[in-house]
Amino acid sequence: MKHQGTILLLALCTALAACDAPDFNYRGENGRISLDGNVLTLHVDDVPDATVGSSGDFIVDGKVESISSAQHGLLVLYYQGVADIRDQANGLKAGVTAAKNAFVEKPGPDAKQKLKEAVESQAHQMSVKMCQDEVNLAGVQAQLVAQLPAFKPYGNIFPAKHADECTKA
C-alpha cells in the first residue's frame, strides 16, 4: 500500500510535465526540429529554416508562405503532432525521475519488484504512444510534401513508420 502513493506521484509528475512542457528538440533522419513556445522551427542542411506556428502559419526564410485552408489544417496537425511527441517525451522523463526518487525509500524486495513492474509498464505504454504519434506525424508530413511545395525540403525530418513497428518488443 505504501507504494501506491509512489505510483500516484509518478502519474501526477507525468501529467504536470505535459502541462508545463519545456522547450523541445528532435533530431530526425534528415534534419531537426525545435519547439520553443508556440513556434516550431524546421532545420534542414542547405535550406533556410522554416517555422510553423501553433495557428498553422508557415514561414520560410522570413517570408510568409501563401497556403490554402487544407494546407493550413495540415500545418496545425503537424504542429500538434510535434507537441504531442514533446509531451510524451517530457512525461517519460518525469516518470523516470519519480521512479528513481521512489527507490530512495529503500523498499522491500516485493515492493521493489511491484514498483519496477509498474514503472516498466507505464514506460512501455508511453513509448508506444510516442511511436504512434510519430507514425501520425510522418503521415501528415507526407501529405504536406504532396500538397505544399514549399514544405518539400522539410519533408524527411520524421522517418516513415508503420504502426506495427510501435508494438514490437
Side-chain angles (χ1 to χ4, degrees):
M1 293 307 239
K2 181 178 176 183
H3 293 287
Q4 284 179 333
T6 302
I7 302 301
L8 179 60
L9 176 64
L10 180 65
L12 287 173
C13 287
T14 301
L16 288 173
C19 292
D20 188 26
D23 297 341
F24 176 71
N25 290 294
Y26 175 93
R27 178 153 300 282
E29 281 187 2
N30 298 306
R32 67 181 178 87
I33 56 149
S34 57
L35 184 56
D36 187 14
N38 65 350
V39 177
L40 171 64
T41 304
L42 310 172
H43 310 274
V44 175
D45 290 342
D46 302 324
V47 294
D49 286 350
T51 60
V52 177
S54 60
S55 61
D57 53 315
F58 186 54
I59 301 170
V60 177
D61 198 23
K63 178 184 167 229
V64 176
E65 294 291 322
S66 177
I67 55 175
S68 70
S69 58
Q71 294 163 339
H72 177 265
L74 287 171
L75 288 163
V76 169
L77 286 174
Y78 189 81
Y79 176 92
Q80 189 57 53
V82 172
D84 289 346
I85 291 169
R86 174 204 55 201
D87 294 348
Q88 290 298 323
N90 289 332
L92 193 56
K93 287 177 190 173
V96 167
T97 300
K100 285 179 182 175
N101 292 338
F103 280 100
V104 170
E105 297 177 19
K106 308 253 190 262
D110 288 342
K112 192 175 191 177
Q113 184 61 31
K114 286 181 182 177
L115 180 60
K116 178 183 174 198
E117 289 169 4
V119 169
E120 286 174 351
S121 174
Q122 185 165 2
H124 175 73
Q125 290 172 9
M126 292 179 85
S127 64
V128 167
K129 170 72 170 100
M130 190 169 11
C131 182
Q132 289 288 342
D133 289 341
E134 288 179 6
V135 168
N136 295 340
L137 188 58
V140 171
Q141 179 179 259
Q143 291 178 54
L144 280 165
V145 167
Q147 295 182 29
L148 182 58
F151 191 85
K152 191 171 184 171
Y154 314 98
N156 290 318
I157 293 175
F158 284 92
K161 283 187 174 182
H162 296 287
D164 61 346
E165 292 180 47
C166 297
T167 55
K168 291 180 182 175

